[in-house]
Amino acid sequence: MTQQEFMERTGITPTAEDFDYIHAVYLNTSMNKDEFCKDFKKHGDSRIIRDVHVRVLNYEGGFYQFHFLFLA
């Protein structure tokens, strides 16, 4: 989904940095664009979602680092 598509569907104009976060969250869902945007309008400012997103990134980063160091 492009930033323009997101803005048209939600009426929200995020900064480039905020859209990077939004897009990363979107790519890790099984929702289509319309479902995601509808849900984001309700819950996009959720601290829970931001915290979980950070934990997932940290977990994935640790996993790949472990895999590279010990299994490569």
Side-chain angles (χ1 to χ4, degrees), residues 1 5-6 9-10 22 25-40:
M1 168 170 42
E5 290 172 318
F6 176 80
R9 285 172 167 81
T10 63
I22 292 165
V25 172
Y26 168 66
L27 290 177
N28 285 289
T29 69
S30 59
M31 299 174 175
N32 67 37
K33 294 174 188 179
D34 293 323
E35 292 170 325
F36 178 83
C37 289
K38 181 179 178 182
D39 201 65
F40 191 88

Side-chain angles (χ1 to χ4, degrees), residues 1 3 10 13-14 16-17 21 26 29-31 34 36 39 41-42 45 54-55 66 69 72:
M1 168 170 42
Q3 187 168 349
T10 63
T13 304
E17 182 178 335
Y21 159 75
Y26 168 66
T29 69
S30 59
M31 299 174 175
D34 293 323
F36 178 83
D39 201 65
K41 284 171 59 173
K42 290 182 185 178
D45 288 334
V54 168
R55 289 178 185 262
F66 172 82
L69 291 174

Side-chain angles (χ1 to χ4, degrees), residues 50-63:
R50 287 190 182 269
D51 286 355
V52 168
H53 177 70
V54 168
R55 289 178 185 262
V56 166
L57 291 177
N58 288 336
Y59 173 78
E60 288 176 350
F63 173 78

